[in-house]
Amino acid sequence: MTAKEYLNRIRRQNFILKQTEHELTEIRSDILTIRSSSMAEHVSGSKNSDIADKYIRLEQYMDKVNHEWDILINMRMEAKAMIKALPDPQQQAVLYARYINCKRWEDIASDMGYSWQGVFKLHGRALQSFEHMNKMLLCKE
């Protein structure tokens, strides 16, 4: 696995987490809509058990979100330690911004005071350094 592939796993996991959180928000909204409409109807019986079942599923989905968070946190912690070991602080900064903070290239360039080309060159050197320092780990992945 290359350094870029390794670090891009964090960006992908961040995207998965955001999508899962979005789905949770939608489910929560749907349940609240169902609950308010059933309360307005004052219907008893199976409607209440349906809502209870939905709350149970909502709890299960919240567990899924927490699991995705755990994965992302672990990935970030591992990658942060590896990035911090790079000798060049500018290389650390570009990798941290791109892969840990999931920033866009234009934001990284602006924040660091570089042109796009400058950021891409720095990023390329940073990936080479990262790969060189972590050959053994990247070979295992």
Side-chain angles (χ1 to χ4, degrees), residues 9-91:
R9 294 176 330 140
I10 299 166
R11 290 178 62 82
R12 279 192 304 278
Q13 181 61 30
N14 190 58
F15 179 76
I16 289 167
L17 172 63
K18 295 301 177 201
Q19 291 304 309
T20 307
E21 286 179 332
H22 178 73
E23 291 170 12
L24 176 63
T25 302
E26 291 295 316
I27 291 168
R28 187 176 284 137
S29 174
D30 291 346
I31 288 173
L32 291 174
T33 302
I34 290 168
R35 183 172 170 225
S36 64
S37 68
S38 69
M39 289 178 104
E41 296 171 6
H42 298 290
V43 176
S44 63
S46 67
K47 290 288 184 188
N48 288 335
S49 64
D50 288 348
I51 292 172
D53 290 343
K54 287 178 181 32
Y55 274 114
I56 291 169
R57 283 189 267 168
L58 177 64
E59 286 290 324
Q60 292 169 341
Y61 216 86
M62 289 168 66
D63 290 342
K64 182 178 178 183
V65 170
N66 287 332
H67 175 71
E68 296 300 337
W69 261 114
D70 290 342
I71 292 170
L72 180 61
I73 289 167
N74 291 336
M75 291 172 84
R76 282 181 175 171
M77 286 174 50
E78 182 178 272
K80 282 179 187 180
M82 294 165 70
I83 290 169
K84 193 170 187 157
L86 295 176
D88 184 338
Q90 292 298 94
Q91 290 180 0

Side-chain angles (χ1 to χ4, degrees), residues 75-138:
M75 291 172 84
R76 282 181 175 171
M77 286 174 50
E78 182 178 272
K80 282 179 187 180
M82 294 165 70
I83 290 169
K84 193 170 187 157
L86 295 176
D88 184 338
Q90 292 298 94
Q91 290 180 0
Q92 290 177 20
V94 74
L95 293 182
Y96 200 90
R98 181 67 180 166
Y99 299 106
I100 304 300
N101 293 332
C102 297
K103 286 191 172 185
R104 299 176 319 154
W105 289 117
E106 54 268 19
D107 295 332
I108 296 169
S110 174
D111 291 349
M112 294 184 74
Y114 283 93
S115 67
W116 275 41
Q117 291 129 336
V119 168
F120 289 139
K121 284 180 188 178
L122 177 62
H123 177 256
R125 288 192 306 271
L127 288 176
Q128 288 174 344
S129 295
F130 186 93
E131 202 161 312
H132 177 72
M133 291 189 70
N134 299 292
K135 278 183 190 175
M136 299 302 282
L137 178 72
L138 295 174

